[in-house]
Amino acid sequence: MKEIKIKTSKEYSAIITSSHQNLIFQLEIHKIKSCFIVTDENIYNLHRRYIDLLKDKAVGIYIIEPGEESKTYDVISQIYEEMIKKNVNRKTAVIAIGGGVVGDLAGFVASTFMRGLKIVHIPTTLVAQCDSSIGGKNGYNFKNIKNIIGCIYQPSFVYIDVNFIKTLSEREYINGLAEVIKYGFICNKDFFNYIEINKKAILERESDKLIHIVSECVKIKGNIVEEDEFDKDKRLILNFGHTIGHGIESASNFKFTHGEAISVGMAIESYIALKLNLIDEKIYYKLISILSFFGLPVKCTMDVENILEYVKNDKKKTSNEVKFVLPSKIGNAIIIDNLKYDFIYNCLNEFNTIKIV
Ligand code: ADP
Ligand code: ZN
């Protein structure tokens, strides 16, 4: 078991383990005597052990339908209703057991119900364990705009059991690895080397490797969040691969998962860095090779103009310039905010014609 402290305005711990045994003890430390569980159908069916573990403390449970479509105010209002029905009071903590969708909804509910209840996150996807459960961001989609409503509300603690990862589909697991590679490539060279050396064992989801990669990501994300709790500047660095990635996600009509889209995004943005002489070919090919090893896409045949149109809209840009987070060496990235669309357009076209693997 590892414990990583996150020192935001409210200090809290992330516990990283491969067992459920310590959860009740952690709840006791935090004086949580009663809870309201929010989870989704898949977790409810696959990991009932966790629900059973909490049965003496749970006053109620709300099970959402899995998927991004559930991140609406309608679902939130149904959760509020259920909480009122079950007499949830200020001493009741909300416990989120699930991926990013459950965490976002439960976090928002906890931050608003009775002006704020304790929230405990038990993230169950690789993305949620490595990324979204740390930092307190929550929210829901409104009028087709992703995460437009929400707030930043830190949890009491985050309980990360890597055994959840074992039941993830291959696609969902690989989706999470894209963010893991991102953390190594732009934030920590030793971690990137670790991923390269242990790639086979990581692909096989060996518990000790999972504990290590999740812990490293939590440390990196934790440090960034400590410096920029309210998302003013420093968190921007985590946008590597996301400027183009979001464009690809939208242009593909969400046929690409988020991880697949940012994988191509990281490949393209590294190609831009190569063109600007920020990195050399060796570094560029190291990234391409690790992404490809995990079966992540590094190419897309989509129309360049279409992708760029989404990039422009996403950033609500009126000027001809766009901001990018680009790698400068392994374990480091810089922000360049004056790249011209014409230059990006040419890079994308050139990228589409070269043979890269
Ligand atoms: P994220 O945003 O963290 O990728 P979501 O909350 O959208 O995750 O979950 C993605 C999918 O994975 C959902 O269908 C969810 O029910 C499912 N899921 C979450 N955790 C697990 C798990 N441990 N095992 C199997 N499926 C899971
Ligand atoms: Zn992401």
Side-chain angles (χ1 to χ4, degrees):
M1 187 190 100
K2 291 190 183 186
E3 179 168 2
I4 296 167
K5 292 224 183 303
I6 296 146
K7 298 189 179 86
T8 40
S9 50
K10 168 181 173 189
E11 182 176 318
Y12 60 98
S13 292
I15 311 288
I16 299 129
T17 169
S18 53
S19 145
H20 60 282
Q21 277 165 3
N22 204 246
L23 177 63
I24 297 297
F25 177 63
Q26 289 297 327
L27 292 172
E28 253 127 54
I29 292 178
H30 288 85
K31 302 190 171 48
I32 295 173
K33 294 197 170 58
S34 76
C35 66
F36 184 91
I37 302 169
V38 180
T39 190
D40 78 13
E41 274 164 14
N42 291 334
I43 294 296
Y44 186 74
N45 292 329
L46 287 165
H47 295 278
R48 194 75 57 86
R49 182 168 35 99
Y50 260 87
I51 316 287
D52 290 345
L53 193 68
L54 293 167
K55 72 171 182 296
D56 292 340
K57 291 186 185 293
V59 295
I61 180 167
Y62 192 93
I63 305 169
I64 67 160
E65 272 179 43
E68 189 71 22
E69 297 71 35
S70 286
K71 261 174 61 174
T72 61
Y73 184 73
D74 256 9
V75 173
I76 286 180
S77 113
Q78 284 161 30
I79 302 176
Y80 291 147
E81 256 181 61
E82 189 62 22
M83 289 167 86
I84 292 168
K85 224 189 269 171
K86 292 289 155 62
N87 295 318
V88 164
N89 62 51
R90 306 182 89 117
K91 291 201 172 133
T92 313
V94 175
I95 301 193
I97 315 178
V101 171
V102 168
D104 271 355
L105 287 170
F108 186 82
V109 163
S111 69
T112 46
F113 195 82
M114 292 183 147
R115 298 201 179 89
L117 303 180
K118 285 182 178 166
I119 169 95
V120 173
H121 285 293
I122 306 181
T124 63
T125 62
L126 187 60
V127 183
Q129 297 195 345
C130 289
D131 188 3
S132 47
S133 68
I134 309 293
K137 274 194 188 174
N138 59 55
Y140 60 94
N141 308 331
F142 184 67
K143 304 261 177 213
N144 276 334
I145 311 175
K146 253 187 121 174
N147 300 327
I148 186 83
I149 315 287
C151 62
I152 291 177
Y153 189 71
Q154 305 299 347
S156 296
F157 67 97
V158 184
Y159 192 86
I160 303 178
D161 178 352
V162 296
N163 278 327
F164 280 115
I165 303 300
K166 310 266 166 84
T167 59
L168 278 181
S169 69
E170 189 70 2
R171 194 172 185 206
E172 202 54 59
Y173 178 59
I174 302 295
N175 175 48
L177 283 178
E179 302 277 2
V180 173
I181 293 168
K182 179 192 81 177
Y183 277 117
F185 192 63
I186 58 163
C187 299
N188 186 328
K189 186 178 179 188
D190 290 343
F191 181 39
F192 187 78
N193 290 341
Y194 177 91
I195 299 169
E196 277 188 322
I197 294 165
N198 295 286
K199 56 185 190 237
K200 265 191 82 185
I202 292 173
L203 198 57
E204 278 154 22
R205 311 187 202 184
E206 286 179 10
S207 292
D208 62 321
K209 303 298 176 299
L210 291 175
I211 290 195
H212 186 82
I213 59 173
V214 172
S215 304
E216 287 305 303
C217 291
V218 168
K219 273 189 228 158
I220 297 170
K221 176 85 187 261
N223 282 336
I224 294 175
V225 165
E226 282 171 4
E227 282 185 54
D228 182 21
E229 181 173 359
F230 296 102
D231 203 6
K232 302 273 181 256
D233 44 31
K234 198 85 214 282
R235 281 200 197 191
L236 187 71
I237 206 84
L238 298 175
N239 258 3
F240 170 57
H242 284 62
T243 306
I244 297 287
H246 283 153
I248 291 177
E249 221 177 342
S250 305
S252 79
N253 225 340
F254 295 88
K255 283 193 192 77
F256 274 73
T257 65
H258 178 70
E260 289 161 357
I262 68 152
S263 174
V264 183
M266 288 191 284
I268 295 179
E269 292 177 18
S270 297
Y271 186 73
I272 295 172
L274 183 66
K275 288 279 130 187
L276 291 168
N277 288 323
L278 290 173
I279 55 167
D280 59 30
E281 275 201 342
K282 211 171 128 213
I283 294 182
Y284 170 73
Y285 281 110
K286 257 180 179 291
L287 176 71
I288 299 294
S289 129
I290 196 78
L291 292 171
S292 308
F293 175 83
F294 288 119
L296 282 159
V298 288
K299 275 242 128 180
C300 85
T301 48
M302 260 177 272
D303 183 48
V304 168
E305 266 173 64
N306 198 8
I307 296 173
L308 274 183
E309 216 32 61
Y310 279 104
V311 171
K312 276 187 194 171
N313 288 340
D314 190 29
K315 298 289 162 237
K316 311 202 173 31
K317 274 271 180 187
T318 43
S319 81
N320 283 324
E321 293 178 344
V322 64
K323 192 185 276 186
F324 274 96
V325 177
L326 298 177
S328 52
K329 58 183 178 189
I330 296 183
N332 213 63
I334 53 172
I335 295 167
I336 299 204
D337 57 9
N338 58 352
L339 289 181
K340 298 257 184 290
Y341 275 107
D342 287 351
F343 170 74
I344 303 298
Y345 179 85
N346 291 338
C347 281
L348 258 76
N349 265 330
E350 201 175 299
F351 178 85
N352 266 352
T353 57
I354 54 163
K355 190 167 162 33
I356 42 172
V357 270

